[in-house]
Amino acid sequence: VEEQVAMPWQRVCIASGKYELDSPAYMLVEQMLPAAPDIAESAYRRLMELLPNHRSRRGNLSNPSITHSCLRDLNMFQAYLWLCFLEGSLAPLEGELLPLCVMVVEGAEIKWEVTKKWCEVLTDEIMSRLEFEQQVLLQPYTEAMQEIFFKQRSRLGFTGGITDKTV
């Protein structure tokens, strides 16, 4: 139930209904939604490569329950990204996803640098699957997502870079 409440897929579908079927925005989201689980898995594998020694209060990235949670969360980030894109607003990211992440990141003692890397890796994975024209459409939202999390990290006093030794 928790996963269904946190995932705004239904809102993504409702927002997409406001577009013509042949509009570039609608076609982009229609192309990418079925790829969301694969994007999440690819991004997660990349995070495991980049952060082999990362450990939160719940364990390391290879722990099966951490894997499940991370894949769920990578899908949730995508849902919020697509919702913002379709609504033309960052409000869902700023008002819903960010507060949820603050609670989870701090509760699980995950370093904010990991969240920053998370956004970068997910963005890279999504953008690698798009044509140039599609990247141009989505780029303001992927950049804004990364900036929102960077600003939150800065507000909490974290300014250092990420290295495997620091996480």
Side-chain angles (χ1 to χ4, degrees):
V1 172
E2 174 186 314
E3 291 179 23
Q4 295 306 313
V5 171
M7 299 280 192
W9 291 121
Q10 185 175 21
R11 291 167 52 203
V12 170
C13 292
I14 291 167
S16 70
K18 298 174 184 170
Y19 288 83
E20 296 293 324
L21 297 178
D22 61 349
S23 71
Y26 181 86
M27 292 183 344
L28 172 57
V29 174
E30 182 182 45
Q31 169 192 332
M32 296 304 290
L33 285 186
D38 186 52
I39 290 169
E41 288 190 29
S42 294
Y44 186 67
R45 281 192 303 274
R46 181 73 179 132
L47 284 166
M48 286 180 45
E49 290 170 9
L50 292 170
L51 308 169
N53 298 321
H54 169 69
R55 184 167 184 79
S56 71
R57 184 176 52 79
R58 291 182 48 215
N60 62 25
L61 288 174
S62 61
N63 179 308
S65 67
I66 302 288
T67 300
H68 173 80
S69 294
C70 287
L71 291 173
R72 176 201 62 220
D73 294 348
L74 284 161
N75 277 301
M76 181 172 53
F77 270 63
Q78 290 178 79
Y80 274 100
L81 178 64
W82 295 122
L83 181 61
C84 289
F85 174 70
L86 290 169
E87 290 184 349
S89 168
L90 298 175
L93 272 172
E94 295 172 318
E96 298 171 41
L97 183 60
L98 180 62
L100 181 62
C101 286
V102 168
M103 183 176 61
V104 170
V105 164
E106 291 175 356
E109 299 174 7
I110 300 168
K111 296 186 184 294
W112 273 98
E113 290 85 353
V114 174
T115 305
K116 180 181 182 293
K117 182 57 70 178
W118 174 287
C119 290
E120 291 170 1
V121 168
L122 179 61
T123 295
D124 290 348
E125 185 61 34
I126 291 168
M127 295 301 253
S128 74
R129 296 167 184 250
L130 302 177
E131 295 178 21
F132 178 76
E133 297 80 18
Q134 295 172 314
Q135 291 175 353
V136 170
L137 285 175
L138 189 60
Q139 187 170 2
Y141 297 93
T142 57
E143 287 178 355
M145 179 176 70
Q146 291 181 57
E147 183 65 22
I148 287 167
F149 284 95
F150 177 77
K151 284 180 182 176
Q152 180 63 35
R153 184 181 84 141
S154 297
R155 270 187 230 120
L156 295 173
F158 299 104
T159 57
I162 185 169
T163 66
D164 187 43
K165 292 180 176 134
T166 64
V167 295

